[in-house]
Amino acid sequence: MDSTQTVLVKSKDPQVVEALSNALSEVEGYRVIYCENDKTAVRRLNEIEVNLIICDLDEPLDEHSSALIQARLSHSGCCRIVISDSKNMAEGIALCERTASFLYIAKPFDHKQIKIAAKRALEHTELSRRHRILSRELKLSLDDDMFARADNKSVQGGISQFERLVYASPKMAQVVEEAKIAAKTNMPVLIQGDTGTGKELLARAIHFNSDRINSPMLNQNCGGVTADALYSELFGHVRGGFPGAISDRLGLFRAADGGTVFLDEISEISSHFQIALLRFLQEGEVKPLGSDITLHSTVRIIAASNKSIETMVEKGTFRRDLYYRLRGFLLEVPPLNQRKEDIPALTDFFVEKYAGVVGRRVLGVTSDALKRLENYSFPGNVRELENEVQRMVAVAENGGYIALRHLSEKIATAPIETPENGAYFPAGATLKEKVENLEQAVLIKSLAVNHWNQSKVALELGLSRVGLANKIKRYELRKEAGRV
Ligand SMILES: Nc1ncnc2c1ncn2[C@@H]1O[C@H](COP(=O)(O)OP(=O)(O)O)[C@@H](O)[C@H]1O
Ligand SMILES: [Mg+2]
């Protein structure tokens, strides 16, 4: 790896250039680039990675072309030093403050002084860079502990994992296959699916399976934000770019350069913002609010929506050209009740996760309780299942199983699908399980229809009263549970 640090010096003053070249040539591992004016300095800044920029305030400050302001705005990892004549000291110090520069130095200066300053500035830059990376890694590893380590391989029992996404259904397996292909490209990805189906988790998995893994993935929710605020979050702004913009902001598109930006609730963006986003997707150009300078970014966009964008296009509320750009890959995550095979896998996964979090031992979920979970429609999808399991783990006895009595009321009392009320096929792996499920469904239906009059039910189903009572006990049927 090239560890050479690049210092960019902007000055027309021959004395400054000479002093700096003397000072910096004595220190190993620096590459020094000299620029006479702001224009070339900005160009160089955008061409190469600069670690330290030293700017001489030897020309009147031009807000729009100042390399220092530019560096502050869009190269947050680049350290800044301001120098000026002593007669311009006040202006130099003001600029130093405004651009959050590391140091201000007045001319004339001693070459040892500038050498130490440059060394310290570069150390400072490197430390902040490491701090950023370590904080990110620490956050990720904490998340990993919470989520159990994913190995992307098929684990036992037909359960698979794609990063932190757990699944067992053929439908999700298909989505994950497509996501893995998408991950290897730089194309935008549009993920559609109901709230709580795991769109954000899928977006993260794509990022971590792409070669952008060492760059950040930054998220922006597009819902409930004004067009201007969204623009400045993503494209950045310069101080005074709009009322209330008291300092420059590096937008997400530049901050995540080389990585991924996840745009959640993309259906909510205004028609005005749709144009800006389209232009960004076409040209990769970023123009901070209130700035004339055009910068570039190579982030990959992953967008998510719980509404069908195609329907919005047909209604004329979403630009067709933007839709086509966004869906380089179009991934549709089905609702949980269309992939019930995932319910046992997810339940086990969440039991382990939350038992670990609260430090208790849970042996598992009884098959009766699991059946009820599989029967429930989960309008809130995986998020709702996760909340349910978290709650069950909290109320279960330490060292015991999660059983029917630990289920929340709405799941325990949800109508059970029966042969009469729709496309019913008993769940269960073995014939015995299927038969038991069917038996349970028939009992619940008959009990409900007969308002729990057990004599009537026994008669209707050709059972003895004791036989019926035994079955009710065995399946832990409760009066409310059978309401149809
Ligand atoms: N397949 C899955 N495996 C593990 N956890 C999941 C899965 N799908 C969703 N989750 C969890 O459910 C919650 C909601 O997922 P999220 O990605 O935020 O959904 P969405 O963005 O579609 O609303 C999160 O806590 C997430 O970790
Ligand atoms: Mg979400």
Side-chain angles (χ1 to χ4, degrees):
M1 203 186 82
D2 180 16
S3 62
T4 310
Q5 305 249 41
T6 302
V7 180
L8 190 117
V9 176
K10 193 228 76 164
S11 178
K12 305 196 220 313
D13 182 341
Q15 277 175 334
V16 169
V17 173
E18 200 198 321
L20 282 172
S21 58
N22 279 336
L24 298 173
S25 65
E26 281 179 31
V27 195
E28 272 182 33
Y30 287 173
R31 170 175 45 215
V32 189
I33 293 169
Y34 296 95
C35 297
E36 278 218 329
N37 53 38
D38 273 310
K39 208 173 139 207
T40 36
V42 169
R43 208 185 61 229
R44 299 300 275 154
L45 211 52
N46 288 324
E47 284 167 359
I48 46 171
E49 188 185 337
V50 175
N51 304 97
L52 170 64
I53 177 164
I54 303 177
C55 273
D56 185 358
L57 201 56
D58 55 2
E59 53 189 339
L61 179 68
D62 177 348
E63 295 274 330
H64 294 306
S65 61
S66 159
L68 210 59
I69 293 178
Q70 190 56 64
R72 157 82 171 121
L73 186 64
S74 54
H75 301 258
S76 58
C78 169
C79 194
R80 302 167 286 278
I81 292 180
V82 188
I83 43 185
S84 82
D85 269 334
S86 5
K87 67 174 193 301
N88 291 329
M89 189 185 274
E91 211 187 332
I93 291 173
L95 184 64
C96 175
E97 187 158 29
R98 166 164 178 202
T99 53
S101 289
F102 183 71
L103 198 65
Y104 165 77
I105 298 173
K107 289 194 265 189
F109 48 77
D110 182 83
H111 92 254
K112 283 216 183 72
Q113 182 193 357
I114 197 84
K115 193 173 95 185
I116 294 171
K119 273 178 83 173
R120 293 289 171 272
L122 288 169
E123 280 162 16
H124 168 83
T125 312
E126 180 56 18
L127 283 175
S128 345
R129 196 182 69 87
R130 285 188 205 170
H131 176 82
R132 269 200 311 278
I133 294 171
L134 286 175
S135 325
R136 198 163 73 215
E137 277 175 6
L138 181 65
K139 190 182 168 302
L140 290 179
S141 70
L142 286 177
D143 283 359
D144 277 347
D145 287 347
M146 287 275 290
F147 280 87
R149 190 52 212 149
D151 55 7
N152 288 351
K153 277 196 233 72
S154 195
V155 284
Q156 86 269 56
I159 300 170
S160 306
Q161 219 171 317
F162 178 41
E163 293 298 321
R164 291 166 195 160
L165 200 99
V166 174
Y167 59 99
S169 64
K171 280 189 181 165
M172 275 313 279
Q174 174 71 33
V175 174
V176 168
E177 275 325 300
E178 288 167 31
K180 283 183 179 165
I181 296 169
K184 296 299 166 212
T185 74
N186 286 318
M187 284 167 74
V189 181
L190 176 61
I191 306 176
Q192 291 190 158
D194 292 349
T195 303
T197 47
K199 298 185 294 296
E200 189 170 337
L201 211 58
L202 184 63
R204 282 178 63 104
I206 292 173
H207 173 75
F208 285 108
N209 269 266
S210 70
D211 48 18
R212 295 168 178 265
I213 180 163
N214 292 318
S215 299
M217 162 162 161
L218 299 175
N219 294 5
Q220 175 65 44
N221 193 317
C222 304
V225 221
T226 65
D228 268 0
L230 187 59
Y231 189 95
S232 98
E233 281 298 332
L234 294 174
F235 292 89
H237 65 235
V238 291
R239 189 157 79 150
F242 66 92
I246 49 171
S247 64
D248 294 336
R249 170 178 286 160
L250 177 69
L252 260 61
F253 286 154
R254 291 281 298 173
D257 197 8
T260 305
V261 168
F262 176 61
L263 299 176
D264 207 354
E265 296 192 43
I266 192 74
S267 57
E268 304 309 299
I269 61 175
S270 68
S271 52
H272 196 67
F273 189 77
Q274 290 181 24
I275 300 171
L277 185 58
L278 178 65
R279 198 177 321 122
F280 174 71
L281 286 167
Q282 284 167 341
E283 321 288 347
E285 287 183 354
V286 177
K287 209 164 140 194
L289 204 61
S291 155
D292 297 337
I293 301 163
T294 302
L295 309 163
H296 286 87
S297 164
T298 59
V299 294
R300 182 232 279 262
I301 302 292
I302 303 183
S305 170
N306 52 21
K307 295 182 189 155
S308 153
I309 304 291
E310 184 162 15
T311 309
M312 294 182 69
V313 168
E314 277 155 17
K315 283 194 200 139
T317 50
F318 202 96
R319 293 180 69 102
R320 185 177 296 276
D321 44 9
L322 178 59
Y323 173 56
Y324 287 148
R325 278 273 167 184
L326 284 173
R327 51 149 229 206
F329 284 86
L330 178 62
L331 304 178
E332 308 256 8
V333 187
L336 185 57
N337 68 16
Q338 284 177 23
R339 45 181 168 108
K340 296 213 167 204
E341 303 93 319
D342 288 342
I343 293 179
L346 286 166
T347 303
D348 283 351
F349 174 72
F350 292 137
V351 165
E352 203 175 311
K353 171 178 165 183
Y354 287 106
V357 169
V358 297
R360 67 173 58 198
R361 226 158 59 83
V362 177
L363 297 179
V365 182
T366 64
S367 66
D368 293 351
L370 196 57
K371 272 176 214 154
R372 289 296 165 81
L373 288 170
E374 285 172 293
N375 168 70
Y376 181 64
S377 62
F378 285 107
N381 294 294
V382 184
R383 182 176 288 115
E384 188 179 3
L385 174 63
E386 181 168 2
N387 292 341
E388 176 69 13
V389 174
Q390 184 176 15
R391 206 194 48 77
M392 292 195 302
V393 167
V395 297
E397 297 83 37
N398 198 9
Y401 280 93
I402 291 176
L404 278 179
R405 64 181 177 283
H406 300 123
L407 290 177
S408 65
E409 196 66 15
K410 69 172 187 279
I411 293 177
T413 61
I416 293 220
E417 282 179 35
T418 64
E420 287 90 351
N421 76 356
Y424 177 82
F425 191 79
T430 61
L431 177 64
K432 182 165 177 285
E433 277 176 26
K434 285 188 202 297
V435 169
E436 280 174 0
N437 278 331
L438 182 64
E439 183 174 59
Q440 204 184 137
V442 170
L443 286 165
I444 288 171
K445 171 86 188 202
S446 180
L447 283 162
V449 168
N450 293 297
H451 304 289
W452 274 72
N453 181 327
Q454 296 193 19
S455 311
K456 280 193 188 166
V457 173
L459 194 66
E460 183 179 295
L461 300 180
L463 294 166
S464 69
R465 290 244 9 212
V466 176
L468 175 63
N470 283 341
K471 286 191 191 297
I472 289 174
K473 199 166 152 215
R474 166 148 168 252
Y475 291 120
E476 295 185 47
L477 300 179
R478 281 185 275 172
K479 200 161 185 176
E480 348 52 296
R483 208 183 303 132
V484 183

